[in-house]
Amino acid sequence: MVIELAVRYPQLTGPLIAVAPTGLPENPSLPKQVWRLMRDIPRERLAFWPLCLSAYVRTGICRFYQLARLIEHQGALPDLALVPRPVLLLGGARDPVVPVSALRRVSCHWPHVQVVEFAAAPHGMTDADAEGVTVQVRRWVGCLNWTGEAE
């Protein structure tokens, strides 16, 4: 969503950070998304499961389905090339939902896109390594010059 926002309204956005961004570089089918999510569950902290479950319940099956279909049919990859700001993609080496290798392939095409990999992180990396994510984000933001461009 932030990538789409940056393309439509570049004046409203600055540098972007996307954590385990779905839709990059591929648009997996609905069954593939579910399969990847199921593979990720045992990799997450046990205390994270109730948080995820309650979020999915609050969202509702209809909205969850709509989001999954949107991911399947409208990927973010074409829009990423149009983003006029630096982009940081954070990926977990243990993430079967958004493989970090795929994010690295994306970053090779555009100099404004940088990838940081978290070696032990699953898809829920902000839960699994909140401190590490914070450190990397601060480091990246600190490397931006006053115009918002990466140095």
Side-chain angles (χ1 to χ4, degrees):
M1 298 312 263
V2 297
I3 293 170
E4 188 173 331
L5 176 69
V7 170
R8 287 187 184 187
Y9 306 100
Q11 72 279 10
L12 298 178
T13 61
L16 302 179
I17 300 168
V19 180
T22 55
L24 288 177
E26 62 176 339
N27 303 350
S29 67
L30 186 57
K32 194 173 203 176
Q33 290 179 57
V34 171
W35 170 244
R36 288 178 176 181
L37 192 58
M38 297 305 288
R39 284 182 44 218
D40 182 61
I41 289 172
R43 299 167 192 221
E44 302 292 348
R45 277 184 334 116
L46 241 104
F48 189 56
W49 294 8
L51 298 172
C52 288
L53 184 58
S54 73
Y56 288 131
V57 168
R58 279 193 321 269
T59 301
I61 192 73
C62 270
R63 186 157 294 169
F64 182 75
Y65 177 76
Q66 288 171 340
L67 177 61
R69 296 293 293 183
L70 182 66
I71 291 169
E72 183 178 20
H73 295 291
Q74 180 184 346
L77 188 58
D79 288 344
L80 190 59
L82 304 174
V83 172
R85 306 280 189 258
V87 178
L88 175 64
L89 304 176
L90 302 178
R94 297 182 60 234
D95 183 355
V97 179
V98 182
V100 74
S101 59
L103 298 179
R104 289 202 185 286
R105 285 193 303 275
V106 167
S107 71
C108 291
H109 298 293
W110 299 294
H112 70 292
V113 178
Q114 180 183 347
V115 174
V116 172
E117 177 179 349
F118 291 83
H123 188 63
M125 73 182 67
T126 54
D127 175 74
D129 190 5
E131 186 176 327
V133 170
T134 302
V135 166
Q136 287 299 327
V137 167
R138 285 184 176 160
R139 183 177 296 149
W140 184 75
V141 169
C143 290
L144 298 175
N145 63 30
W146 65 274
T147 63
E149 298 300 317
E151 292 181 339

